[in-house]
């Protein structure tokens, strides 16, 4: 059995962050989301992984390498355009051969991993198994319809009138039967080969398609709100560890991880929080559910429930919350006179300024 990881999307919902970095490499608790995916796969005992990459291929390859640091052997599969999940299966045909495989979207996060699901699939050997979870807004997802016995009878991609509240989670398990299905379907109105259409083809042709409704936590980390929520969840489980330097005038409370080389001066940090290597925190308050990446400078600033990427600088800011600050970004206080705010913003930026 093999694994297929999809990391070729453009990440439009996370712009402007994804103008310069793949969405799969945006960190949660200072570790890229894609790393959690690869660790989940490694935990199942699978070793052969194909990663579908697009225009951000170089960054993905630099971050993952040959996969050996995860105990995996990685093959990169170029996808010229993001033409749908089923298209990714189509271009991975040679790599997958006739083996069963798990397909895992590289920006998804599942608490508890997928080991039990893979073991169950190997034992029962259906043609496909999909993961479902109940959501309040099914119009934004692929949605499954089950019969009275819980069998999958229909799938729709982002339906206007959903037939259930069961959304497809970004993990799928397939036998080689799916290859015939992805060859048989046509592009949707979105111009993409939809995996929901391929699974529907399997159902229509009497293949064994099963589902598992997960009770644990799942998130598609495709937007800032979900990134912050996943960051909060992961930080809940961190262990207290102080390897950096904290002076006597500072206070560290609760589960806080301060990496080697970080410095904390005259500041208060309330966990759960993580401070990356080489970062300097001075005269500041770092509140709960905050991840500060490596080599940042935080001075005379209050920040909580936020993610700050590497090399960023925040200085003289009275309050920052529920924010995602990009790499090498600079946020400083405006002069008192004349009153006003000076902004240099990229496309699709979002700014809120207190009046």
């Amino acid at each position: 059995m093999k694994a297929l990881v999809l990391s070729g999307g453009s990440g439009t919902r996370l712009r402007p962050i994804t103008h310069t970095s793949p969405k799969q490499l945006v960190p949660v608790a200072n570790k890229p989301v894609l790393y959690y995916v690869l660790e989940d796969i490694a935990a199942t005992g699978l070793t052969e992984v194909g990663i579908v990459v697009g225009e951000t291929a170089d960054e993905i390859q630099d971050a993952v390498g040959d996969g050996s640091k995860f105990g995996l052997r990685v093959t990169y599969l170029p996808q010229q355009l993001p033409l749908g999940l089923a298209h990714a299966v189509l271009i991975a045909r040679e790599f997958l051969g006739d083996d069963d495989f798990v397909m895992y979207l590289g920006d998804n996060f599942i608490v508890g991993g997928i080991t039990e699901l893979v073991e169950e699939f190997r034992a029962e050997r259906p043609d496909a198994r999909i993961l479902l979870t109940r959501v309040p807004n099914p119009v934004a997802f692929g949605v499954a319809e089950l019969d009275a016995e819980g069998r999958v009878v229909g799938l729709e991609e982002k339906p206007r009138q959903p037939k259930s509240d069961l959304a497809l989670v970004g993990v799928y398990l397939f036998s080689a039967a799916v290859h015939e299905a992805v060859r048989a379907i046509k592009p949707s109105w979105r111009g993409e080969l939809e995996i929901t259409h391929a699974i529907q083809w399997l159902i229509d042709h009497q293949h064994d398609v099963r589902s598992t409704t997960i009770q644990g936590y799942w998130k598609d980390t495709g937007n800032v709100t979900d990134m912050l929520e996943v960051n909060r969840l992961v930080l809940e489980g961190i262990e207290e560890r102080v390897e950096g330097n904290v002076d006597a005038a500072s206070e560290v409370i609760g589960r806080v991880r301060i990496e080697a080389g970080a410095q904390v001066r005259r500041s208060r940090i309330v966990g759960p929080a993580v401070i990356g290597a080489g970062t300097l925190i001075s005269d500041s308050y770092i509140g709960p559910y905050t991840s500060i990446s490596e080599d940042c400078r935080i001075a005379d600033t209050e920040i909580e429930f936020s993610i700050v990427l590497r090399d960023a600088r925040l200085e003289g800011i009275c309050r920052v919350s529920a924010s995602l600050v990009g790499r090498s970004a600079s946020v400083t206080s405006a002069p008192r006179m004349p009153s006003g705010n000076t902004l240099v913003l990229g496309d699709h930026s979002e700014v809120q300024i207190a009046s």
Side-chain angles (χ1 to χ4, degrees):
M1 191 170 182
K2 294 175 179 174
L4 185 65
V5 176
L6 275 55
S7 295
S10 57
T12 55
R13 292 178 295 158
L14 270 175
R15 288 177 179 170
I17 299 295
T18 49
H19 280 310
T20 55
S21 179
K23 62 179 178 178
Q24 297 85 4
L25 297 184
V26 176
V28 168
N30 286 5
K31 183 165 67 176
V33 172
L34 180 59
Y35 284 16
Y36 293 96
V37 171
L38 295 174
E39 289 169 356
D40 280 355
I41 291 169
T44 69
L46 302 181
T47 57
E48 294 291 336
V49 180
I51 301 183
V52 176
V53 291
E55 59 185 12
T56 60
D58 290 345
E59 293 95 327
I60 297 291
Q61 291 184 48
D62 286 346
V64 176
D66 63 2
S68 57
K69 62 185 174 184
F70 303 97
L72 304 171
R73 291 189 295 272
V74 169
T75 300
Y76 293 97
L77 307 169
Q79 185 183 34
Q80 299 305 317
L81 292 171
L83 298 176
L85 305 189
H87 181 260
V89 175
L90 200 62
I91 66 171
R93 181 68 176 91
E94 183 177 350
F95 166 77
L96 294 169
D98 291 326
D99 294 324
D100 296 345
F101 67 97
V102 55
M103 183 169 77
Y104 202 142
L105 305 193
D107 60 352
N108 273 227
F109 189 93
I110 298 177
V111 171
I114 60 170
T115 299
E116 186 176 336
L117 296 161
V118 170
E119 291 174 349
E120 188 177 88
F121 183 83
R122 282 173 146 170
E124 298 179 0
R125 293 298 308 282
D127 292 306
R129 180 176 289 279
I130 59 175
L131 273 63
L132 305 174
T133 190
R134 298 193 182 277
V135 295
N137 57 332
V139 294
F141 300 93
V143 174
E145 180 184 4
L146 308 183
D147 65 13
E149 284 72 42
R151 293 187 295 259
V152 183
V153 295
L155 297 168
E156 291 183 279
E157 186 65 34
K158 297 180 174 63
R160 294 179 180 176
Q161 295 182 319
K163 296 179 180 178
S164 80
D165 62 351
L166 291 169
L168 276 76
V169 172
V171 176
Y172 309 79
L173 299 108
F174 293 113
S175 74
V178 75
H179 296 301
E180 184 179 2
V182 298
R183 288 195 304 269
I185 62 174
K186 303 297 182 185
S188 68
W189 62 270
R190 300 194 302 170
E192 297 186 0
L193 292 176
E194 310 285 0
I195 199 66
T196 46
H197 292 179
I199 299 169
Q200 185 66 55
W201 187 95
L202 292 173
I203 295 169
D204 294 342
H205 288 78
Q206 309 306 310
H207 287 277
D208 184 5
V209 177
R210 305 182 189 181
S211 70
T212 297
T213 301
I214 62 173
Q215 305 301 322
Y217 186 89
W218 163 79
K219 275 290 183 184
D220 167 4
T221 59
N223 60 54
V224 173
T225 299
D226 288 340
M227 285 293 306
L228 293 173
E229 179 60 20
V230 171
N231 188 65
R232 180 196 66 78
L233 184 76
V234 174
L235 288 177
E236 286 280 14
I238 69 167
E239 296 181 0
E240 179 181 349
R241 188 174 75 235
V242 177
E243 296 177 342
N245 184 273
V246 180
D247 72 3
S250 296
E251 186 178 20
V252 177
I253 302 171
R255 293 189 309 279
V256 176
R257 190 174 74 217
I258 301 176
E259 302 289 358
Q263 300 180 61
V264 180
R265 301 284 180 265
R266 302 174 303 279
S267 298
R268 188 169 190 253
I269 302 177
V270 178
V274 58
I275 310 299
T279 285
L280 173 61
I281 309 291
S282 61
D283 303 296
S284 296
Y285 167 75
I286 310 298
Y289 308 119
T290 302
S291 296
I292 311 292
S293 295
E294 64 272 17
D295 299 320
C296 294
R297 295 292 180 267
I298 313 294
D300 191 24
T301 291
E302 297 182 14
I303 182 170
E304 65 180 12
F305 190 52
S306 294
I307 299 173
V308 180
L309 276 58
R310 71 171 187 262
D311 295 313
R313 180 170 71 100
L314 286 83
E315 185 174 347
I317 308 301
C318 62
R319 193 72 173 177
V320 176
S321 65
S323 298
L324 176 57
V325 180
R327 294 180 297 177
S328 301
S330 179
V331 184
T332 58
S333 59
R336 293 181 178 273
M337 296 295 288
S339 178
N341 297 286
T342 301
L343 306 174
V344 179
L345 303 176
D347 295 347
H348 307 284
S349 296
E350 293 185 14
V351 176
Q352 294 182 346
I353 298 175
S355 57

